[in-house]
Amino acid sequence: MKREIVLDTETTGLDPKAGHRIIEIACLEMINRKITGDTYHVYINPDREVEREAEQVHGISNSFLKDKPRFKSVVDDFIAYVDGAEMIIHNAPFDVGFLNSELVLAGKRPNKIESHCKITDT
């Protein structure tokens, strides 16, 4: 059985090194390349403003995110969902960079998503 997770994120901007954060994680599970219907989805309060240009792309506003959980409170569930799977990501370096930055900020060890699952870039 081969478990694959198709993942996408939305962010406050383009660069985690500039302090930008993840605001949405969406995952879809496939087993042997067949969609199972099992998903993982969460909106995240980034504790910073979403840049206007980013909001114009994804439509997620600062006011919408105010009552959402912080990454630190969802990280264990997220890791449990992707652990051991092959994660398929379009433009993987972008999402992986953000995920790794969030893992560091949350104090998660290991703090590399690649330690939890295989990454395939589409």
mmCIF file of all heavy atoms in Angstrom, residues 62-78:
data_model
loop_
_atom_site.group_PDB
_atom_site.id
_atom_site.type_symbol
_atom_site.label_atom_id
_atom_site.label_comp_id
_atom_site.label_asym_id
_atom_site.label_seq_id
_atom_site.Cartn_x
_atom_site.Cartn_y
_atom_site.Cartn_z
ATOM 1 N N ASN A 62 -7.267 39.020 7.187
ATOM 2 C CA ASN A 62 -6.795 39.080 8.571
ATOM 3 C C ASN A 62 -7.951 38.846 9.548
ATOM 4 O O ASN A 62 -7.804 38.109 10.527
ATOM 5 C CB ASN A 62 -6.132 40.433 8.842
ATOM 6 C CG ASN A 62 -4.849 40.587 8.074
ATOM 7 O OD1 ASN A 62 -3.931 39.784 8.198
ATOM 8 N ND2 ASN A 62 -4.778 41.609 7.235
ATOM 9 N N SER A 63 -9.099 39.454 9.294
ATOM 10 C CA SER A 63 -10.231 39.307 10.213
ATOM 11 C C SER A 63 -10.719 37.856 10.259
ATOM 12 O O SER A 63 -11.107 37.364 11.324
ATOM 13 C CB SER A 63 -11.366 40.263 9.842
ATOM 14 O OG SER A 63 -11.833 40.000 8.534
ATOM 15 N N PHE A 64 -10.688 37.151 9.134
ATOM 16 C CA PHE A 64 -11.094 35.750 9.098
ATOM 17 C C PHE A 64 -10.181 34.883 9.970
ATOM 18 O O PHE A 64 -10.634 33.925 10.603
ATOM 19 C CB PHE A 64 -11.084 35.239 7.656
ATOM 20 C CG PHE A 64 -11.389 33.777 7.524
ATOM 21 C CD1 PHE A 64 -12.692 33.312 7.618
ATOM 22 C CD2 PHE A 64 -10.371 32.860 7.309
ATOM 23 C CE1 PHE A 64 -12.972 31.951 7.517
ATOM 24 C CE2 PHE A 64 -10.634 31.509 7.196
ATOM 25 C CZ PHE A 64 -11.947 31.049 7.302
ATOM 26 N N LEU A 65 -8.898 35.206 10.019
ATOM 27 C CA LEU A 65 -7.914 34.376 10.719
ATOM 28 C C LEU A 65 -7.822 34.645 12.218
ATOM 29 O O LEU A 65 -7.202 33.862 12.945
ATOM 30 C CB LEU A 65 -6.535 34.572 10.081
ATOM 31 C CG LEU A 65 -6.420 34.104 8.633
ATOM 32 C CD1 LEU A 65 -5.102 34.573 8.031
ATOM 33 C CD2 LEU A 65 -6.563 32.593 8.533
ATOM 34 N N LYS A 66 -8.426 35.700 12.709
ATOM 35 C CA LYS A 66 -8.256 36.102 14.118
ATOM 36 C C LYS A 66 -8.581 35.010 15.128
ATOM 37 O O LYS A 66 -7.893 34.881 16.136
ATOM 38 C CB LYS A 66 -9.075 37.348 14.422
ATOM 39 C CG LYS A 66 -8.431 38.586 13.888
ATOM 40 C CD LYS A 66 -9.144 39.826 14.343
ATOM 41 C CE LYS A 66 -8.412 40.995 13.704
ATOM 42 N NZ LYS A 66 -8.604 42.228 14.347
ATOM 43 N N ASP A 67 -9.625 34.228 14.890
ATOM 44 C CA ASP A 67 -10.029 33.221 15.873
ATOM 45 C C ASP A 67 -9.528 31.813 15.542
ATOM 46 O O ASP A 67 -9.931 30.838 16.172
ATOM 47 C CB ASP A 67 -11.549 33.211 16.035
ATOM 48 C CG ASP A 67 -12.273 32.752 14.776
ATOM 49 O OD1 ASP A 67 -11.654 32.734 13.683
ATOM 50 O OD2 ASP A 67 -13.470 32.415 14.877
ATOM 51 N N LYS A 68 -8.646 31.711 14.566
ATOM 52 C CA LYS A 68 -8.128 30.400 14.158
ATOM 53 C C LYS A 68 -6.975 29.979 15.077
ATOM 54 O O LYS A 68 -6.326 30.809 15.705
ATOM 55 C CB LYS A 68 -7.656 30.434 12.700
ATOM 56 C CG LYS A 68 -8.729 30.875 11.709
ATOM 57 C CD LYS A 68 -9.983 30.023 11.799
ATOM 58 C CE LYS A 68 -11.029 30.410 10.780
ATOM 59 N NZ LYS A 68 -12.103 31.243 11.298
ATOM 60 N N PRO A 69 -6.699 28.677 15.151
ATOM 61 C CA PRO A 69 -5.609 28.190 16.019
ATOM 62 C C PRO A 69 -4.239 28.609 15.483
ATOM 63 O O PRO A 69 -4.085 28.898 14.300
ATOM 64 C CB PRO A 69 -5.775 26.673 15.979
ATOM 65 C CG PRO A 69 -6.444 26.402 14.664
ATOM 66 C CD PRO A 69 -7.347 27.584 14.424
ATOM 67 N N ARG A 70 -3.265 28.636 16.381
ATOM 68 C CA ARG A 70 -1.873 28.880 15.989
ATOM 69 C C ARG A 70 -1.274 27.565 15.485
ATOM 70 O O ARG A 70 -1.726 26.479 15.834
ATOM 71 C CB ARG A 70 -1.044 29.348 17.189
ATOM 72 C CG ARG A 70 -1.056 30.800 17.590
ATOM 73 C CD ARG A 70 -2.313 31.502 17.434
ATOM 74 N NE ARG A 70 -2.255 32.905 17.888
ATOM 75 C CZ ARG A 70 -3.317 33.526 18.344
ATOM 76 N NH1 ARG A 70 -4.479 32.911 18.435
ATOM 77 N NH2 ARG A 70 -3.231 34.788 18.696
ATOM 78 N N PHE A 71 -0.216 27.669 14.666
ATOM 79 C CA PHE A 71 0.435 26.480 14.118
ATOM 80 C C PHE A 71 0.868 25.535 15.238
ATOM 81 O O PHE A 71 0.705 24.319 15.124
ATOM 82 C CB PHE A 71 1.641 26.873 13.258
ATOM 83 C CG PHE A 71 2.275 25.696 12.571
ATOM 84 C CD1 PHE A 71 1.772 25.206 11.375
ATOM 85 C CD2 PHE A 71 3.380 25.064 13.127
ATOM 86 C CE1 PHE A 71 2.344 24.106 10.748
ATOM 87 C CE2 PHE A 71 3.964 23.968 12.509
ATOM 88 C CZ PHE A 71 3.445 23.494 11.315
ATOM 89 N N LYS A 72 1.390 26.085 16.321
ATOM 90 C CA LYS A 72 1.894 25.254 17.418
ATOM 91 C C LYS A 72 0.805 24.321 17.967
ATOM 92 O O LYS A 72 1.101 23.217 18.400
ATOM 93 C CB LYS A 72 2.457 26.138 18.524
ATOM 94 C CG LYS A 72 3.226 25.384 19.555
ATOM 95 C CD LYS A 72 3.975 26.301 20.484
ATOM 96 C CE LYS A 72 4.882 25.490 21.376
ATOM 97 N NZ LYS A 72 5.853 26.313 22.068
ATOM 98 N N SER A 73 -0.449 24.750 17.909
ATOM 99 C CA SER A 73 -1.524 23.911 18.447
ATOM 100 C C SER A 73 -2.031 22.866 17.453
ATOM 101 O O SER A 73 -2.756 21.948 17.844
ATOM 102 C CB SER A 73 -2.682 24.780 18.954
ATOM 103 O OG SER A 73 -3.336 25.405 17.881
ATOM 104 N N VAL A 74 -1.656 22.971 16.173
ATOM 105 C CA VAL A 74 -2.102 21.984 15.178
ATOM 106 C C VAL A 74 -0.958 21.121 14.660
ATOM 107 O O VAL A 74 -1.197 20.145 13.943
ATOM 108 C CB VAL A 74 -2.832 22.657 13.989
ATOM 109 C CG1 VAL A 74 -4.043 23.432 14.468
ATOM 110 C CG2 VAL A 74 -1.906 23.520 13.159
ATOM 111 N N VAL A 75 0.267 21.453 15.018
ATOM 112 C CA VAL A 75 1.430 20.786 14.433
ATOM 113 C C VAL A 75 1.436 19.278 14.677
ATOM 114 O O VAL A 75 1.750 18.510 13.771
ATOM 115 C CB VAL A 75 2.762 21.435 14.891
ATOM 116 C CG1 VAL A 75 3.000 21.262 16.372
ATOM 117 C CG2 VAL A 75 3.931 20.881 14.079
ATOM 118 N N ASP A 76 1.072 18.831 15.864
ATOM 119 C CA ASP A 76 1.107 17.392 16.139
ATOM 120 C C ASP A 76 0.095 16.632 15.284
ATOM 121 O O ASP A 76 0.407 15.554 14.764
ATOM 122 C CB ASP A 76 0.879 17.119 17.626
ATOM 123 C CG ASP A 76 2.059 17.557 18.478
ATOM 124 O OD1 ASP A 76 3.201 17.614 17.961
ATOM 125 O OD2 ASP A 76 1.839 17.860 19.669
ATOM 126 N N ASP A 77 -1.107 17.191 15.120
ATOM 127 C CA ASP A 77 -2.104 16.547 14.267
ATOM 128 C C ASP A 77 -1.647 16.519 12.810
ATOM 129 O O ASP A 77 -1.842 15.525 12.113
ATOM 130 C CB ASP A 77 -3.450 17.278 14.358
ATOM 131 C CG ASP A 77 -4.150 17.043 15.682
ATOM 132 O OD1 ASP A 77 -3.825 16.061 16.383
ATOM 133 O OD2 ASP A 77 -5.036 17.855 16.019
ATOM 134 N N PHE A 78 -1.051 17.623 12.355
ATOM 135 C CA PHE A 78 -0.559 17.680 10.983
ATOM 136 C C PHE A 78 0.532 16.642 10.743
ATOM 137 O O PHE A 78 0.479 15.878 9.776
ATOM 138 C CB PHE A 78 -0.049 19.085 10.651
ATOM 139 C CG PHE A 78 0.673 19.156 9.335
ATOM 140 C CD1 PHE A 78 -0.019 18.975 8.145
ATOM 141 C CD2 PHE A 78 2.038 19.382 9.277
ATOM 142 C CE1 PHE A 78 0.643 19.019 6.919
ATOM 143 C CE2 PHE A 78 2.705 19.427 8.074
ATOM 144 C CZ PHE A 78 2.005 19.241 6.885
#
